[in-house]
Amino acid sequence: MKCGLSLFAMAAAVMFTLCPVVAQSEQNAAVSKKTADAASLSEIVRSTAGPFEDYCDGYGNPGANGTGYVSVITLHVGKVPKTLKLAGQNGEGLDGTAAFDTAEALEAYIGQINLIVASSFSGLSGVIWGYDIAKADELTHSPRVPLFTLKGLDEIPVYSMEPLLDAGKRLFGTREKKHFPMLPGAHITAAHKEIIVAGPTTAWCGMALGIAKDRSRDANLIMELCGELKPKSYGKKKYFNQVLHKLADSVLLVGKNQGVSYKEIFVGIRHEFIPSGYVGAALATAPYVVLAKNAIPQAGPQALLDMTISDWENDRKTLFLK
């Protein structure tokens, strides 16, 4: 009996010792699985459908079918004649608001939304329209030629953002020909910067997108910048080329501060001369959205991973908003 009790006590002691190890192992496995799920584009895309048939909606609003979201890259510049100025008013007032709304309605249509400005990361539960899903046709070609490269520990290519801007325009459509725009009046969180200026000047907006080297743990970075260029102050071509280089440099600086490496960077810019008597607005905006149900292929959201933007457009164009 004594021997039996000793064996029983020994077994209990072994179990007591092993249980915390087993529990810790299970916890580690759960954490690893959660990280793997977060990094899985397929899992993310599966949960990016919004509640509306014809309209995209803001990320985090009620009714979406999961926790995934889509980052859409857009740049806008617009102008209006100065007609709403009031005596004693500071700034551009209602003319500035009208210029802002005009800019929203140009190129990719992002008008009639309640814009909520957020920081500028597309994280582990996000995908990028035109890059990860409905991939821009140019991004499928090889080799891709960069605008320039950045030298560091690694050589990082910097590409034109134009294919991503085109993809965003083809998702939302335009003011005249809407595809799947954001729901009018929706609350839309976005990476965003803006400038409102009175002519004569040139209003401009630029953006850089850094793609994280390890997307299982790091977010992609969106850097926005807006400004104005007064007449005869600089040569436009040289100045805007400098803007693109500074945007790319800023990605590396943020990466250094955060301990994040990026494998490639995209940069883009829009600018327009604002004549005397006009007010202009420039917006660098990347909305975080969930997709309209009709924007999702019949085969399911994951099919977007294997489609180019042209494939997607041909598949969905009969359902574009009329």
Side-chain angles (χ1 to χ4, degrees):
M1 177 66 70
K2 183 178 180 181
C3 179
L5 286 173
S6 298
L7 290 173
F8 180 84
M10 289 174 63
V14 169
M15 288 300 294
F16 181 81
T17 303
L18 286 178
C19 281
V21 174
V22 171
Q24 183 64 47
S25 177
E26 290 175 350
Q27 185 178 8
N28 290 342
V31 170
S32 297
K33 184 179 187 302
K34 185 176 180 181
T35 302
D37 287 345
S40 168
L41 294 181
S42 180
E43 286 298 311
I44 296 167
V45 174
R46 189 171 61 85
S47 63
T48 56
F52 304 111
E53 296 290 329
D54 299 320
Y55 295 98
C56 295
D57 193 21
Y59 176 59
N61 293 345
N65 72 341
T67 59
Y69 62 89
V70 181
S71 302
V72 185
I73 306 300
T74 75
L75 293 171
H76 311 261
V77 184
K79 64 179 184 292
V80 296
K82 192 182 293 185
T83 60
L84 302 173
K85 184 79 172 180
L86 293 170
Q89 170 197 317
N90 294 323
E92 304 310 325
L94 293 171
D95 288 318
T97 301
F100 182 99
D101 288 344
T102 298
E104 281 187 314
L106 298 175
E107 299 213 29
Y109 183 74
I110 62 168
Q112 301 186 76
I113 62 170
N114 294 305
L115 183 66
I116 303 169
V117 179
S119 192
S120 308
F121 294 94
S122 181
L124 273 63
S125 59
V127 290
I128 300 166
W129 184 264
Y131 183 84
D132 296 311
I133 59 176
K135 189 183 292 287
D137 298 290
E138 294 88 339
L139 270 59
T140 66
H141 300 159
S142 184
R144 289 188 285 143
V145 180
L147 296 174
F148 53 91
T149 58
L150 296 181
K151 307 292 184 181
L153 295 177
D154 297 310
E155 192 172 85
I156 302 176
V158 181
Y159 297 104
S160 170
M161 187 175 273
E162 291 304 317
L164 301 181
L165 293 169
D166 175 68
K169 185 175 180 179
R170 290 160 85 168
L171 171 62
F172 293 145
T174 65
R175 177 179 56 192
E176 291 77 19
K177 294 183 178 180
K178 297 179 178 66
H179 293 176
F180 301 110
M182 290 173 280
L183 183 76
H187 293 75
I188 306 291
T189 302
H192 173 83
K193 278 191 175 66
E194 66 187 71
I195 189 170
I196 295 173
V197 294
T201 189
T202 294
W204 61 265
C205 55
M207 188 180 290
L209 169 66
I211 304 298
K213 186 174 289 185
D214 183 358
R215 294 181 68 178
S216 69
R217 68 167 198 165
D218 294 320
N220 302 310
L221 171 66
I222 303 168
M223 295 292 287
E224 321 93 61
L225 187 64
C226 299
E228 64 173 318
L229 180 64
K230 291 291 187 180
K232 300 181 181 178
S233 54
Y234 289 92
K236 281 188 178 182
K237 184 175 181 181
K238 181 179 180 181
Y239 178 80
F240 290 129
N241 187 55
Q242 183 182 30
V243 170
L244 294 177
H245 278 77
K246 293 296 184 183
L247 280 165
D249 289 340
S250 73
V251 172
L252 292 194
L253 182 58
V254 172
K256 181 180 178 181
N257 293 339
Q258 300 285 340
V260 177
S261 296
Y262 300 97
K263 68 177 183 179
E264 57 186 349
I265 299 170
F266 295 85
V267 292
I269 198 164
R270 288 288 184 272
H271 55 83
E272 183 175 344
F273 180 69
I274 312 300
S276 181
Y278 279 73
V279 174
L283 322 174
T285 309
Y288 304 119
V289 303
V290 289
L291 296 173
K293 291 180 180 179
N294 283 337
I296 296 171
Q298 191 171 4
Q302 288 98 326
L304 288 165
L305 290 164
D306 300 317
M307 301 177 83
T308 67
I309 187 66
S310 292
D311 293 334
W312 172 84
E313 194 169 48
N314 289 332
D315 183 75
R316 298 285 93 191
K317 62 185 178 183
T318 59
L319 296 173
F320 287 168
L321 191 65
K322 299 294 189 290

